[in-house]
Structure formats: C-alpha cells, structure tokens
Amino acid sequence: MKPRLFRTFLWKFLLAFLASLLALGLVLTLGYFLAAQLIRFNPSSSFPLTSLLRWIINTVGSVTVMSVTGCVLFLLFFFIFSRNIIRYLELITSGLQQIAGGDLSHRIPVTSSDELGQVA
C-alpha cells in the first residue's frame, strides 16, 4: 500500500512537473541530435532545411533557440501532463456552483483519494 503522502495533490503536480522535465529533455536531446546529423551529413547545404538551420545557428544562436523552445515545450508538456488534475478541479468547481445555485441533489463524483477527493 502506498503511503498517503504520495497520493496528495502536491505530489501529483510534482510528478507532472518531473514528467514534463523528462519529456523536454528527451525532445531537446533528440532535436539537437537530428540537427547535428543533418548538418554533418549534408555539408553542401543543398537541402533547404540545412541552410535554414545553419542561418538560425549563426544568426540567432543555438543556445537561444534551445532556451526559447525549451520554455515553450515545458509549458506545453506541463499542461498536457496536468490536464486531468485541472479537469477534475473544473468538475468540482461546476458542481459546487450548481449546489450553490440551489440544486442540492447534485453529486460531485469522487475519483481520487487526495485533497480534491475530500473536497468532492
């Protein structure tokens, strides 16, 4: 049986954060490797993507491009990995609004055993 500490709301968000970091690392590493292979095996720049890639690296800089891309991808991955938590928060919010509106027969489904499950 898992300790109750690891089933809390905080740990779910921490796990989404760590999964986002892992996915970001994998995507950036793969992208860096593919870009390096494209430049390495096509030195003549006959392929349009190679000339664009060389221009970006020489003009903007690979560190800047990877930093901006990393920030955007991290946010994207974090929202993807935490969308179930956010969706459950929205379900609880709409249920509480219905109850506050006078529909006392409305029931909010309990789908987790963390703090949100207790609120539901």
Side-chain angles (χ1 to χ4, degrees), residues 6-118:
F6 295 112
R7 292 182 296 180
T8 63
F9 185 67
L10 174 68
W11 278 98
K12 288 181 180 180
F13 265 112
L14 183 62
L15 186 62
F17 178 81
L18 292 175
S20 300
L21 283 177
L22 179 66
L24 174 65
L26 290 173
V27 168
L28 285 181
T29 302
L30 181 66
Y32 185 80
F33 176 75
L34 291 175
Q37 295 304 316
L38 182 64
I39 290 173
R40 181 177 177 199
F41 291 118
N42 191 5
S44 65
S45 299
S46 61
F47 189 55
L49 185 60
T50 306
S51 59
L52 175 66
L53 191 58
R54 284 182 191 274
W55 180 82
I56 289 173
I57 290 171
N58 292 331
T59 306
V60 179
S62 60
V63 174
T64 306
V65 171
M66 287 184 69
S67 298
V68 170
T69 304
C71 290
V72 171
L73 284 177
F74 174 78
L75 290 174
L76 177 74
F77 287 139
F78 185 73
F79 284 124
I80 288 171
F81 290 132
S82 65
R83 72 174 179 248
N84 288 337
I85 301 169
I86 303 299
R87 196 173 297 140
Y88 192 47
L89 275 171
E90 290 172 348
L91 178 69
I92 291 173
T93 302
S94 67
L96 288 175
Q97 287 174 346
Q98 286 182 353
I99 292 171
D103 184 12
L104 299 179
S105 64
H106 181 74
R107 298 287 177 234
I108 301 171
V110 178
T111 61
S112 67
S113 61
D114 59 359
E115 297 89 348
L116 292 180
Q118 292 174 0

